[in-house]
Amino acid sequence: MELVYYGQSCFQVSLSKAVILIDPFISTNPLSKNRDISNINPDYILLTHGHGDHTYDAEAIARNSNATIISNYEITTWYESKGIGSTHGMNIGGSYHFPFGRLKMVNAIHSSSMPDGSYGGNAAGYVIETSEKTFYHAGDTSFFSDMKLIGDEFDLDFAFLPVGDNFTMGIDDALNAASLLNTTTIIAMHFDTFPVIEIDHAACREKASAKKIDLIIPKIGESLTV
Ligand code: NI
Ligand code: MN
């Protein structure tokens, strides 16, 4: 399975049956400013919550690609009111069988509002179970003990976890999360974009290896095969 990292929490996941783009914040990301988004053509755009560092490019990419926006009901309704034709609203605890596999919307402990201040529902994470891989994108969240429920229900191949601290978990909590999630592979996200979430890469790697966790710290624009 191929991944492309676009910075902050944005990953493009290419599955055999669909290309999924999660939390697009690309064209105004201070680390990758002015990156052209017109050649990003997903089938689905998943949004974990309404904050601009997760949704900034969703509308433009949805218009270009006719991708279906999947998010909580409040967020999909907000995009519908802007004329986005294809959306799929969900809520926490619900799962749905999409052509690419089963997607479950799970809890996140965070806030959510739209860039214009509209109510953005509750922040969420996603578990995606496919014939290729099963993985968890935590969105923005603190560490919480119910991550164990995700680890019990799913056999995760890896988890996208925030590590930048300040707005979300930091590395120590992310490593504890991996143990509740019962996975040994973390793909780091939500780091370095702003000064308050800069991380010490070497220190993070050291902490991960002490806990026998395979910590992947992706570079923007990098393609990864997982
Ligand atoms: Ni946020
Ligand atoms: Mn964020």
Side-chain angles (χ1 to χ4, degrees), residues 36-117:
D36 182 17
I37 56 167
S38 64
N39 57 356
I40 300 175
N41 282 300
D43 301 297
Y44 295 89
I45 299 170
L46 262 61
L47 303 176
T48 60
H49 63 296
H51 293 158
D53 61 317
H54 299 259
T55 60
Y56 188 85
D57 293 308
E59 185 181 346
I61 294 172
R63 286 192 200 285
N64 267 342
S65 61
N66 292 316
T68 298
I69 293 182
I70 302 172
S71 192
N72 70 40
Y73 182 75
E74 290 80 2
I75 291 177
T76 56
T77 305
W78 189 81
Y79 282 102
E80 279 166 24
S81 75
K82 290 172 152 283
I84 299 296
S86 184
T87 67
H88 185 108
M90 299 181 69
N91 216 323
I92 288 165
S95 66
Y96 187 81
H97 287 269
F98 290 92
F100 56 81
R102 176 181 174 228
L103 180 148
K104 185 170 189 180
M105 180 178 260
V106 297
N107 200 24
I109 298 184
H110 193 67
S111 55
S112 178
S113 53
M114 306 313 295
D116 64 0

Side-chain angles (χ1 to χ4, degrees), residues 1-3 13-16 100-102 127-136 154-158 185 225-226:
M1 202 178 83
E2 287 290 313
L3 305 175
V13 180
S14 295
L15 297 162
S16 59
F100 56 81
R102 176 181 174 228
V127 182
I128 300 175
E129 189 176 44
T130 74
S131 55
E132 293 142 274
K133 298 278 177 185
T134 296
F135 56 94
Y136 168 48
F154 294 96
D155 186 9
L156 297 179
D157 292 293
F158 62 90
T185 305
T225 304
V226 290

Side-chain angles (χ1 to χ4, degrees), residues 8-9 23 49 51-54 110 139-140 167-168 190 194 197:
Q8 192 68 335
S9 301
D23 281 358
H49 63 296
H51 293 158
D53 61 317
H54 299 259
H110 193 67
D140 280 1
F167 299 115
T168 66
H190 216 271
F194 312 112
I197 60 170

